[in-house]
Amino acid sequence: MPKGCLVITVSGPGGSGTTTLCRNLARYYGFKHIYAGLIFRQMAKEMGMTLQEFQKYVELHPEIDREVDKRQVEAAKECNVVIEGRLAGWMVRDADLKIWLDAPMMERAKRVARREGISVEEAYVQTAEREKQNRKRYLNLYGIDIEDRSIYDLIINTAKWGPDGVFAIVKAAIDHLSPTVTRGNKN
């Protein structure tokens, strides 16, 4: 990989702050942002399904997961990219920095409720069900236990720091890893 070229993965459950962090990294460093969740949501919309319906559909059609994951691996061949996805750290094995974001379930449910315009109770149930389905799917499809955090270089509880604090922690890690990657450097 060329000097000053980084591939960063950001993973975590719904409502943990992965999208916020990735957008901030992309904006600050000029990194390209690849978002597996957006691809997944667009596919659900194209099929006229809710996210929950599509999740169940995908359980019976593993080729969809494989396609989304393949796109992440392809994106990792680029320079200065941040790849966001539940399995990004697992799929992009040689990433320079693998980050896992998390927060207590109730905090994440509150964030999802605000984002989706639903009640906290509904968000809690949907999030818990989605995580259960994802864990089962990833185990069946790849033999990956999404609860295994051993592959991550940096694990952050986003309930302890707001978006700016999380960004500051990750920025310090990036700057330590590669001082030649500077703000807006797209080399």
Side-chain angles (χ1 to χ4, degrees):
M1 195 173 285
K3 187 175 184 180
C5 182
L6 289 177
V7 174
I8 299 167
T9 66
V10 178
S11 303
S16 64
T18 58
T19 301
T20 299
L21 174 61
C22 289
R23 284 181 183 151
N24 288 339
L25 291 172
R27 189 176 308 119
Y28 185 84
Y29 288 103
F31 289 169
K32 183 174 182 182
H33 177 197
I34 306 298
Y35 177 30
L38 181 61
I39 296 166
F40 198 82
R41 283 178 172 82
Q42 287 172 338
M43 292 170 91
K45 188 176 180 178
E46 287 168 11
M47 296 189 72
M49 295 181 183
T50 67
L51 196 55
Q52 293 77 19
E53 292 167 341
F54 190 62
Q55 184 105 16
K56 289 178 181 170
Y57 176 82
V58 170
E59 285 180 32
L60 302 173
H61 297 87
E63 68 276 4
I64 294 170
D65 273 323
R66 286 193 181 98
E67 177 60 27
V68 171
D69 298 332
K70 184 178 95 176
R71 291 181 192 184
Q72 292 179 78
V73 172
E74 286 299 312
K77 294 177 182 172
E78 297 186 36
C79 192
N80 292 337
V81 62
V82 59
I83 303 170
E84 176 187 358
R86 299 278 188 299
L87 293 180
W90 290 94
M91 294 292 118
V92 184
R93 298 192 185 275
D94 61 347
D96 298 291
L97 181 62
K98 295 180 182 186
I99 302 164
W100 179 267
L101 300 184
D102 207 347
M105 181 65 146
M106 186 52 76
E107 175 63 27
R108 293 187 295 109
K110 289 175 186 175
R111 294 172 183 174
V112 170
R114 277 193 305 271
R115 180 181 72 210
E116 304 292 329
I118 58 177
S119 72
V120 173
E121 295 76 17
E122 186 179 357
Y124 189 96
V125 169
Q126 285 180 7
T127 302
E129 181 59 29
R130 185 171 168 205
E131 288 174 19
K132 185 176 131 187
Q133 289 173 351
N134 283 344
R135 183 167 189 237
K136 179 182 170 188
R137 219 169 69 237
Y138 303 150
L139 277 169
N140 290 338
L141 191 59
Y142 298 114
I144 293 172
D145 183 354
I146 195 73
E147 294 181 6
D148 176 1
R149 311 286 193 260
S150 66
I151 65 160
Y152 296 98
D153 304 306
L154 186 58
I155 299 172
I156 304 172
N157 177 348
T158 63
K160 294 194 179 281
W161 295 275
D164 291 341
V166 172
F167 177 78
I169 293 166
V170 173
K171 180 185 179 306
I174 291 169
D175 293 348
H176 180 74
L177 259 180
S178 183
T180 60
V181 174
T182 57
R183 185 176 181 165
N185 180 2
K186 297 180 184 181
N187 294 334

